[in-house]
Amino acid sequence: MTCHKRCVDRKDLGLLVLRVGTGGVLAAHGAQKLLGWFGGGGLRAATAGMEAMGFAPPKASALAAGVGEAGGGVLLALGLATPVGGAAAAGTMAGAVAVHAPNGFFAQGGGYEYPAFLGFVAAGLAVTGAGRYSLDHALGHALDRHWMVPAALVGSAAAALAVVASRNKRVGGAGSPEDSMDSADE
């Protein structure tokens, strides 16, 4: 086995681990919001939380956040439509960052460290691709074309900016610590 072959296998295996781990975490958070699984409050509690944080309409916001996390997470874990899954998760995490930003950076103080990290990893996977051990690879990259990466990321960024700007108008800026939900729900 050549070094090139061994290095490629390691990279693909690393992408698999990163995708499954990050995708699993995101999917679990989304399942908390949508289904009440893993100790979450379900869509009713997520809707109340979105309303308290200044997102409108709150039920649509809760649904979008849950689908962005759960759907994006599942797509990342499977390595299917990776640009779309990564962009959806990254855009959702941008909203969580906006909520947690008033509390500073570190998660221990309610800051945005954790959702920012998940968002950066999701965006990085959208750009890098899923690797050889993925459904994208098995399907001949039919749902992972080069043009999809910028399209998905630009679309997700535009939607996230619009949602966050609309929320910030309602809460009078970047929000307040009282607006933050428990970081386990993000």
Side-chain angles (χ1 to χ4, degrees), residues 4-16 133:
H4 177 70
K5 172 78 170 130
R6 192 170 54 246
C7 296
V8 170
D9 288 344
R10 286 178 57 191
K11 180 189 86 176
D12 291 326
L13 186 58
L15 285 170
L16 174 66
Y133 308 122

Side-chain angles (χ1 to χ4, degrees), residues 19 40-41 65 71 117:
R19 281 191 358 258
F117 179 76

Side-chain angles (χ1 to χ4, degrees), residues 147-168:
W147 63 267
M148 292 176 181
V149 174
L153 290 172
V154 166
S156 178
L161 284 171
V163 167
V164 169
S166 176
R167 176 207 172 252
N168 287 349

